[in-house]
Amino acid sequence: MREQAREVVAGNVRAAARACRMVDDELPGHLELLKDLFPHTGRAWVVGVTGNPGAGKSTLTDRLIEALRARDAKVAVVAVDPTSPFSGGAILGDRIRMQRHAGDAKVFIRSLATRGALGGLSRSARDIVHVLDAWGADVVLVETVGVGQDELEVVRTAHTTLVVMAPGMGDDVQAIKAGILECADVFAVNKADREGADSTVRDLELMIALGGETVFGGSHSASHVGATLDQKARDGPRTGKWTPPIQKCVATKNQGVAELLTKLDEHHSWLESSEAGRARQAERLVMELQAMLRDVLGREARRSLSSEVVSLAARVARREVDPYSACEELVLRFRTTVPGEPKE
Amino acid sequence: MREQAREVVAGNVRAAARACRMVDDELPGHLELLKDLFPHTGRAWVVGVTGNPGAGKSTLTDRLIEALRARDAKVAVVAVDPTSPFSGGAILGDRIRMQRHAGDAKVFIRSLATRGALGGLSRSARDIVHVLDAWGADVVLVETVGVGQDELEVVRTAHTTLVVMAPGMGDDVQAIKAGILECADVFAVNKADREGADSTVRDLELMIALGGETVFGGSHSASHVGATLDQKARDGPRTGKWTPPIQKCVATKNQGVAELLTKLDEHHSWLESSEAGRARQAERLVMELQAMLRDVLGREARRSLSSEVVSLAARVARREVDPYSACEELVLRFRTTVPGEPKE
């Protein structure tokens, strides 16, 4: 075990692959391994890549790998796939496109399947990022297929989040999921040679200008937006706040990719050199620990209370007890039963 | 408080609206209200409506309301919206379309905004369904905007889940999210007058035929699929298993809607009259209670350990402790500290 951790830290690709599998499947010893590896983490820059299906995330990720390799950076990719058997083909196709980097010893690509359980995916992604960080990746790209809540959780574990949009994806406006604005550090408008790209950029600019303000019921005239943008520009240098830039690109033609990487780099520098950036990093760590705590609690409760849950559910079905009181009873039992056996 | 519950159970619309608001905002007394209402629940048929943005879910839901009202059913709709300020307009537009039922005392429409916190939305939806059930709804339609993990959780609280697809929505295959197949009871192929509708139906048939089998790496010839379908047909009557039917419709023209409702009814009957259906109901209740338990645990841990989490996160950042050990420490503290105050 200790030997395995040593091999990962030494940069052994096979050891890293084995470690990822162990962690993903939660095999015995995976927690010890993660604990061994953790002191060797903290060097990698973690970049999340998200956006709706069809925005061209995989192709863009592939181009980013290329651009990062041109700098001789050691790159790891965690590709988060849905389990849907039906989508296998299409997504494997994307993966295969990326696999042209497979012969490159400084590129490591790992696919993660989404699990049925809520939170299972983000747990796994978080742990695998730690493995790849310890393995010596300079950059870890975490790419998700969709933009569901679970994927947003995954993306929140990244230092820098790239949201990829494409024009003409049906109803763009509806397609912008809750939470995306809050987690986006850089926007890419991909397929920018298509009709509607400028309007997608304008929509994003408007959204960024309005920031957290709600649009519901408010009148947002052009002058209002202009004033908000001016205010942002004045605030920027003063508060050190980050305003997400937008980069148009055409991943298939490798256009705008270098510029996009520059914008991602700028965010990376901001994180490390500004007060606000460092505060953001600290906040991210708190969120990560909270998420881990919630996952562990959920798992332990499921394990230690499974028979109680089943019998209480039957009583709820018979209307003998309401589910709110049943839940309170379960929580109290969980909190007052000291776990008898060591974890893992 | 007791009075408010009585008014809801008596079918008072204003009381139900107030109760929904209380529950959604978790105002003081909301748990007592839910406990009071619960013995009066269990009568409503809860139908989840999900699918990708742009599939026409709102229009179809509107038509289903119409068809259900024609039977004089009392209908409640819980519409789950993302918080994105930017999507406000479009979705409000859909809601307004539905609001033509607003003058109808037997139709109750309630929008829910997605919350930042994972699980917040499914908690709220679950509780509001209980309120509307107690209010006397014969049918509660729960419509989600997207198909993220959180929305899947919402949909899993439904008795019958309708998944709405539309042809030509970009990459259909990628668009089928993980978990959809497992939770779909009936498929609607909406906008069936568009090109590609038959191919969407065929894709779905294939997916249903293959069921849980993984497509990865396997060769699925037509004869294989045929054999699987035959096997399903033979299994059906024997095991009482439900095979999701597919209904083509054009919601805007009100075509196929009556047939769709019949298929939904058939699933409802299957749930209530078959062994497998009843087992499924019991399983759903266990999952619901597990989800509630996880939510409550997460919330309590966040509340009672917030300062410990922040200080441990700082130590993790300095690499003084690894997050896995930090988490174990937090869980142990949570489980051995008996909550001092009674819960809300």
Side-chain angles (χ1 to χ4, degrees):
Chain A
M1 184 47 53
R2 305 277 143 166
E3 177 55 23
Q4 189 182 359
R6 220 181 347 260
E7 282 176 7
V8 172
V9 173
N12 183 320
V13 172
R14 280 161 180 273
R18 251 195 329 269
C20 286
R21 210 155 42 235
M22 258 182 87
V23 162
D24 196 16
D25 295 341
E26 300 185 76
L27 297 182
H30 80 279
L31 265 182
E32 282 71 24
L33 175 64
L34 286 167
K35 287 179 188 176
D36 281 353
L37 293 177
F38 188 76
H40 304 280
T41 63
R43 226 181 44 84
W45 174 33
V46 184
V47 179
V49 183
T50 191
N52 283 307
K57 290 183 297 294
S58 290
T59 312
L60 194 55
T61 302
D62 180 66
R63 293 299 188 185
L64 287 173
I65 297 172
E66 205 172 77
L68 288 162
R69 287 299 298 127
R71 300 180 178 177
D72 201 33
K74 206 169 157 183
V75 183
V77 182
V78 182
V80 177
D81 281 2
T83 39
S84 168
F86 204 62
S87 59
I91 291 165
L92 275 186
D94 289 340
R95 287 296 100 79
I96 284 159
R97 210 178 309 146
M98 252 189 243
Q99 292 297 343
R100 67 189 175 93
H101 301 288
D104 185 340
K106 288 193 169 177
V107 178
F108 183 100
I109 298 174
R110 169 85 199 174
S111 281
L112 274 186
T114 58
R115 305 307 178 90
L118 193 69
L121 181 64
S122 41
R123 197 238 4 119
S124 194
R126 209 162 45 219
D127 292 344
I128 280 176
V129 165
H130 287 156
V131 172
L132 297 172
D133 187 342
W135 170 71
D138 296 303
V139 187
V140 181
L141 298 168
V142 182
E143 185 212 334
T144 67
V145 166
V147 284
Q149 193 66 48
D150 214 26
E151 280 99 338
L152 279 183
E153 284 280 299
V154 170
V155 156
R156 279 196 192 119
T157 67
H159 300 125
T160 300
T161 297
L162 169 64
V163 175
V164 185
M165 313 275 299
M169 291 281 301
D171 201 339
D172 279 345
V173 168
Q174 277 208 31
I176 299 170
K177 271 287 292 196
I180 273 291
L181 180 59
E182 295 82 61
C183 80
D185 299 310
V186 176
F187 284 100
V189 174
N190 192 26
K191 306 186 180 182
D193 50 355
R194 287 201 189 166
E195 208 182 322
D198 289 325
S199 118
T200 302
V201 170
R202 270 197 308 277
D203 286 355
L204 282 173
E205 282 172 348
L206 176 70
M207 192 176 77
I208 293 164
L210 296 173
E213 297 176 48
T214 179
V215 179
F216 286 92
S219 72
H220 291 280
S221 60
S223 69
H224 173 83
V225 171
T228 311
L229 282 167
D230 288 353
Q231 188 58 45
K232 292 245 163 193
R234 280 197 304 277
D235 280 353
R238 208 168 56 215
T239 61
K241 262 191 173 171
W242 178 260
T243 302
I246 304 164
Q247 177 63 50
K248 289 205 276 188
C249 52
V250 186
T252 50
K253 296 181 187 161
N254 210 13
Q255 287 168 6
V257 176
E259 293 83 350
L260 179 62
L261 187 54
T262 302
K263 289 192 165 70
L264 293 169
D265 284 333
E266 282 164 8
H267 184 261
H268 191 198
S269 308
W270 172 81
L271 276 180
E272 308 220 311
S273 61
S274 75
E275 192 71 30
R278 280 189 298 265
R280 161 78 179 278
Q281 293 268 64
E283 195 190 333
R284 196 182 56 73
L285 265 171
V286 170
M287 281 171 56
E288 195 170 318
L289 200 56
Q290 275 173 340
M292 283 178 70
L293 178 61
R294 193 192 52 225
D295 291 351
V296 174
L297 280 175
R299 203 159 52 209
E300 292 211 359
R302 227 174 12 250
R303 195 169 51 195
S304 66
L305 298 172
S306 62
S307 61
E308 283 93 337
V309 169
V310 172
S311 66
L312 272 170
R315 292 186 53 209
V316 169
R318 293 192 297 270
R319 261 54 188 179
E320 291 169 14
V321 63
D322 68 81
Y324 308 97
S325 305
C327 228
E328 287 172 2
E329 196 180 317
L330 288 168
V331 169
L332 192 68
R333 199 172 306 183
F334 182 70
R335 293 195 69 171
T336 49
T337 323
V338 184
E341 33 169 325
K343 265 167 303 296
E344 215 271 308
Chain B
M1 184 49 50
R2 306 279 144 167
E3 177 56 23
Q4 191 183 359
R6 221 179 349 261
E7 282 177 9
V8 172
V9 173
N12 184 320
V13 172
R14 279 162 180 273
R18 250 197 326 273
C20 287
R21 209 155 41 234
M22 258 181 87
V23 162
D24 197 15
D25 295 341
E26 300 184 76
L27 298 180
H30 80 279
L31 265 183
E32 282 71 24
L33 176 63
L34 286 167
K35 288 178 188 178
D36 281 353
L37 293 177
F38 189 76
H40 304 278
T41 62
R43 225 180 46 82
W45 173 33
V46 184
V47 179
V49 183
T50 192
N52 282 308
K57 289 183 297 296
S58 290
T59 312
L60 193 56
T61 302
D62 180 68
R63 293 297 187 185
L64 286 173
I65 297 171
E66 205 172 80
L68 288 162
R69 288 299 298 127
R71 302 176 177 178
D72 201 32
K74 205 169 156 182
V75 183
V77 182
V78 181
V80 177
D81 280 1
T83 39
S84 167
F86 205 62
S87 60
I91 291 165
L92 274 184
D94 288 339
R95 288 297 98 76
I96 285 159
R97 210 178 312 145
M98 250 190 246
Q99 292 297 342
R100 68 191 175 92
H101 301 287
D104 185 338
K106 286 192 170 178
V107 178
F108 183 100
I109 298 174
R110 168 85 198 174
S111 282
L112 273 187
T114 58
R115 304 309 178 90
L118 191 70
L121 181 66
S122 42
R123 197 240 1 123
S124 194
R126 208 162 46 218
D127 292 346
I128 281 177
V129 165
H130 287 157
V131 171
L132 298 172
D133 187 343
W135 170 71
D138 295 303
V139 186
V140 180
L141 298 169
V142 181
E143 185 211 334
T144 68
V145 165
V147 283
Q149 193 66 48
D150 214 27
E151 280 98 339
L152 279 183
E153 284 280 298
V154 169
V155 157
R156 279 197 191 119
T157 66
H159 300 124
T160 300
T161 297
L162 169 64
V163 175
V164 185
M165 312 276 298
M169 291 281 301
D171 200 340
D172 279 346
V173 168
Q174 276 209 30
I176 298 170
K177 270 287 292 196
I180 275 291
L181 179 60
E182 295 81 61
C183 80
D185 299 310
V186 176
F187 284 100
V189 174
N190 192 26
K191 306 187 180 180
D193 50 354
R194 286 203 189 164
E195 208 182 320
D198 288 325
S199 118
T200 301
V201 170
R202 271 196 309 276
D203 286 354
L204 282 173
E205 282 171 349
L206 176 69
M207 190 175 78
I208 292 163
L210 295 175
E213 296 176 49
T214 179
V215 178
F216 286 93
S219 72
H220 292 280
S221 60
S223 70
H224 173 86
V225 170
T228 311
L229 282 167
D230 287 352
Q231 188 58 42
K232 292 245 163 193
R234 281 197 303 275
D235 280 353
R238 208 167 57 213
T239 62
K241 262 192 174 172
W242 178 260
T243 303
I246 303 164
Q247 176 64 49
K248 288 205 276 188
C249 52
V250 186
T252 51
K253 295 179 185 161
N254 210 13
Q255 287 167 5
V257 176
E259 293 82 351
L260 180 62
L261 188 53
T262 303
K263 290 193 165 70
L264 293 168
D265 284 334
E266 282 163 9
H267 183 260
H268 191 198
S269 307
W270 172 82
L271 275 180
E272 309 219 311
S273 60
S274 75
E275 192 72 29
R278 279 189 299 265
R280 160 80 177 277
Q281 293 267 64
E283 194 190 333
R284 196 183 56 74
L285 265 171
V286 170
M287 281 172 55
E288 194 170 317
L289 201 55
Q290 274 172 339
M292 283 179 71
L293 178 60
R294 195 190 51 225
D295 291 351
V296 174
L297 280 175
R299 203 159 51 209
E300 291 209 0
R302 225 173 14 250
R303 196 169 50 196
S304 66
L305 297 172
S306 62
S307 61
E308 283 92 336
V309 169
V310 172
S311 65
L312 272 169
R315 291 185 54 208
V316 169
R318 293 193 297 269
R319 283 347 187 232
E320 290 170 14
V321 63
D322 69 81
Y324 309 98
S325 305
C327 229
E328 287 172 1
E329 196 181 316
L330 288 167
V331 169
L332 193 67
R333 200 173 304 186
F334 182 71
R335 292 194 70 170
T336 50
T337 322
V338 184
E341 33 169 324
K343 268 168 300 297
E344 212 270 308

